């Protein structure tokens, strides 16, 4: 309970109690107006809870998707269809991101994050059932629902930025992203043991499907952590603080796709942020999803594939604190240019490896590093460029666009590899970066003129 002290604004609860009848809104009881040291304490507590949930969520996502392409190839009987498993997961992340963001806009971050993890757990169970039945359509349906876990993980980065001051938003987003490192790096390495333990429970469960059983249980634990500990809600609290800073202003009711589009279209920097997120994610997913297949074709075993993917995931998350610091110190645009350069080098390395596993591993590591720079730079720029009133809707739109684009990229990736090869896939990924880099340059030049 916040204690009123001289020189600070009373909390929303105190003000309501003394001047107005109780607010029946479910959100009203879940927001406070802390100031000074109380706000610093709340920021640290919120970050700690998000870090804990991200460790679990990252572990759940990574342990599941590590062998997703191989599972899809086994169930479908076609390597050309193997990329559809990851595509379905990314598509699910895209489709579910907007309703989850809409729920957060109405009720706060906690209900949306909890629901995302619960839906992801259901998806993991469906994937296991599909593998037992040998049904590829059911497998794709399960992977689609499983994508909700990724959506919750991604939107948690915006929860970290809700209470952060503008000068530290990059570091706040990066801190929560970094928390994913432990689970995300360990996940692919224990995928094979997880598969064997699940197969030991029921011999009908393939080794490549067992990790999804683990993922479902981990998502349930993440949901419980957020439900119990993420109080007060950071988004609702941030809104109360904004209202206290500008009395008389109210958050508009429009929190739909249209509201997100309006908020992004009004700012050139927000549009660049959206393009950066979409292109970075599409290039990363398209190349990453087909790398296990390429490694398998060149004689790599499951353990080596797990190590390469672990290195890639380490590049995605382990250096995010550095990316956050760079976003706050050298600027969002400079970090975005760095992201495009890293992704281009990664595509060149991976695309010319031709069975040299060390070179492939180096390319995948840089691919993750470039993605990290793009996600931190783009997410921070988007948060900066959109007013508080439309921020949640714009953030939901960004995750919808980036994951829908990546879903298309993942689907195309399997066809490109099947028809032209892994090298051409990397070349096409690099080509996608050029128009995005030109847009970033145009935005930077426009900012200088003004």
């Amino acid at each position: 309970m916040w204690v009123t002290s001289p020189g600070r604004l009373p909390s929303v609860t105190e003000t309501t109690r003394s001047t107005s009848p109780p607010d029946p809104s479910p959100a009203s009881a879940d927001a406070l107006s802390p100031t000074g040291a109380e706000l610093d304490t709340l920021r640290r507590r919120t970050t700690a809870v998000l870090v804990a949930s991200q460790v679990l969520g990252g572990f759940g996502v990574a342990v599941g998707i590590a062998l997703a392409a191989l599972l899809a190839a086994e169930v479908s009987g076609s390597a050309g269809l193997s990329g559809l498993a990851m595509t379905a997961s990314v598509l699910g992340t895209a489709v579910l991101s907007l309703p989850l963001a809409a729920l957060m806009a109405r009720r706060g971050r906690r209900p949306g994050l909890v629901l995302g993890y619960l839906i992801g757990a259901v998806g993991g169970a469906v994937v296991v059932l599909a593998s037992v039945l040998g049904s590829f359509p059911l497998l794709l349906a399960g992977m689609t629902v499983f994508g909700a876990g990724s959506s919750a993980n991604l939107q948690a980065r915006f929860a970290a930025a809700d209470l952060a001051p503008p000068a530290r938003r990059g570091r706040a987003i990066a801190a929560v992203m970094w928390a994913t490192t432990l689970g995300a790096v360990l996940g692919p390495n224990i995928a094979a043991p997880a598969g064997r333990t699940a197969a030991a429970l029921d011999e009908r469960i393939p080794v490549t499907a067992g990790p999804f059983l683990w993922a479902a249980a981990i998502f349930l634990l993440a949901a419980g952590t957020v439900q119990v500990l993420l109080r007060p809600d950071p988004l609702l609290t941030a809104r109360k603080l904004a209202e206290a800073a500008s009395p008389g202003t109210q958050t508009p009711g429009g929190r739909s796709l249209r509201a997100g589009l309006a908020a992004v279209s009004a700012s050139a920097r927000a549009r660049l942020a959206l393009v950066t997120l979409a292109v970075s994610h599409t290039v990363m997913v398209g190349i990453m999803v087909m790398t296990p297949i390429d490694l398998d074709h060149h004689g790599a075993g499951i353990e080596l594939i797990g190590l390469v993917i672990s290195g890639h995931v380490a590049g995605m998350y382990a250096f995010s604190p550095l990316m956050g610091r760079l976003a706050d110190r050298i600027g969002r645009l400079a970090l975005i240019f760095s992201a495009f350069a890293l992704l281009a080098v990664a595509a060149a390395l991976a695309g010319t490896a031709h069975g040299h596993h060390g070179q492939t591993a180096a390319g995948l590591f840089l691919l993750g590093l470039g993605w990290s720079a793009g996600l931190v730079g783009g997410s921070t720029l988007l948060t900066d460029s959109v007013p508080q009133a439309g921020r949640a809707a714009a953030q939901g739109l960004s995750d919808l666009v980036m994951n829908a684009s990546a879903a298309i990229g993942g689907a195309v990736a399997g066809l490109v590899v099947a028809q032209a090869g892994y090298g051409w896939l990397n070349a096409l990924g690099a080509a996608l970066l050029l128009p995005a880099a030109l847009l970033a340059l145009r935005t930077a030049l426009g900012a200088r003129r003004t």
Side-chain angles (χ1 to χ4, degrees):
M1 183 175 183
W2 304 104
V3 180
T4 306
S5 58
R8 83 156 179 89
L9 292 173
S11 70
V12 175
T13 305
E14 293 161 355
T15 304
T16 302
R17 187 182 296 129
S18 59
T19 62
S20 62
D23 185 352
S25 168
S28 63
D30 199 23
L32 301 169
S33 290
T35 60
E38 292 174 345
L39 181 55
D40 290 338
T41 300
L42 180 56
R43 285 170 178 156
R44 289 193 295 270
R45 179 183 173 186
T46 299
T47 299
V49 175
L50 291 171
V51 163
S53 67
Q54 283 294 95
V55 169
L56 293 169
F59 187 77
V61 171
V63 75
I65 67 171
L67 303 180
L70 296 178
L71 175 62
E74 289 179 7
V75 175
S76 68
S78 170
L81 297 177
S82 60
L84 291 181
M86 188 64 180
T87 299
S89 178
V90 175
L91 183 62
T93 302
V95 170
L96 292 166
S97 61
L98 201 61
L100 289 177
L103 176 60
M104 292 179 198
R106 292 192 306 269
R107 303 287 296 272
R109 297 290 184 190
R110 188 178 67 252
L113 294 176
V114 169
L115 182 60
Y117 286 129
L118 291 178
I119 295 174
V122 171
V126 171
V127 169
V128 175
L129 177 62
S131 69
V132 172
L133 298 177
S135 172
F136 188 61
L138 185 60
L139 174 69
L140 295 182
M143 288 299 301
T144 302
V145 178
F146 184 78
S150 293
S151 184
N153 263 15
L154 285 170
Q155 297 211 26
R157 76 191 190 279
F158 292 124
D162 287 334
L163 297 174
R168 296 187 63 87
R169 277 182 185 146
R171 277 167 279 192
I173 290 171
V176 172
M177 285 179 57
W178 176 86
T180 312
T181 305
L182 181 61
V185 171
L186 287 177
N189 283 300
I190 71 160
R196 288 192 288 267
T197 58
L201 293 175
D202 190 329
E203 62 183 12
R204 294 174 299 175
I205 300 177
V207 170
T208 48
F212 285 94
L213 196 60
W214 281 45
I218 294 165
F219 281 156
L220 291 176
L221 186 57
T225 299
V226 172
Q227 175 64 27
V228 173
L229 299 178
L230 193 63
R231 298 171 185 271
D233 191 278
L235 178 58
L236 301 183
T237 301
R239 285 181 181 160
K240 293 298 182 183
L241 290 170
E243 291 168 6
S246 302
T249 61
Q250 295 183 353
T251 302
R255 293 164 185 165
S256 62
L257 176 61
R258 181 179 298 177
L261 283 169
V264 172
S265 63
S267 167
R269 290 167 68 87
R271 294 194 295 272
L272 171 62
L274 193 66
V275 170
T276 298
L277 292 168
V279 171
S280 299
H281 201 49
T282 300
V283 172
M284 186 277 290
V285 169
I287 295 174
M288 183 272 289
V289 71
M290 296 310 298
T291 299
I293 299 298
D294 183 70
L295 288 170
D296 183 62
H297 286 169
H298 286 96
I302 289 180
E303 285 74 14
L304 179 57
I305 292 172
L307 276 174
V308 171
I309 298 300
S310 290
H312 166 68
V313 175
M316 290 173 65
Y317 298 109
F319 296 89
S320 54
L322 173 62
M323 300 304 174
R325 185 170 293 274
L326 289 173
D328 291 337
R329 302 195 85 172
I330 69 174
R332 291 32 164 165
L333 289 176
L335 185 60
I336 286 171
F337 281 117
S338 300
F340 295 151
L342 286 167
L343 290 168
V345 174
L349 283 174
T352 59
H354 303 305
H356 296 284
H357 301 325
Q359 184 173 330
T360 300
L364 265 287
F365 172 76
L366 290 179
L367 185 72
L369 203 62
W371 176 88
S372 179
L375 195 71
V376 172
S379 299
T380 310
L381 183 64
L382 180 69
T383 303
D384 288 345
S385 306
V386 177
Q388 173 65 251
R391 196 167 287 165
Q395 290 164 344
L397 173 67
S398 73
D399 281 359
L400 168 65
V401 172
M402 67 182 269
N403 285 291
S405 300
I408 295 171
V412 172
L415 298 176
V416 170
V417 170
Q419 298 298 321
Y422 182 70
W424 275 103
L425 172 65
N426 283 270
L428 289 174
L432 280 177
L433 299 169
L434 182 58
L438 291 175
L439 177 62
L441 180 61
R442 178 181 177 183
T443 303
L445 293 175
R448 287 185 180 181
R449 294 192 192 102
T450 57

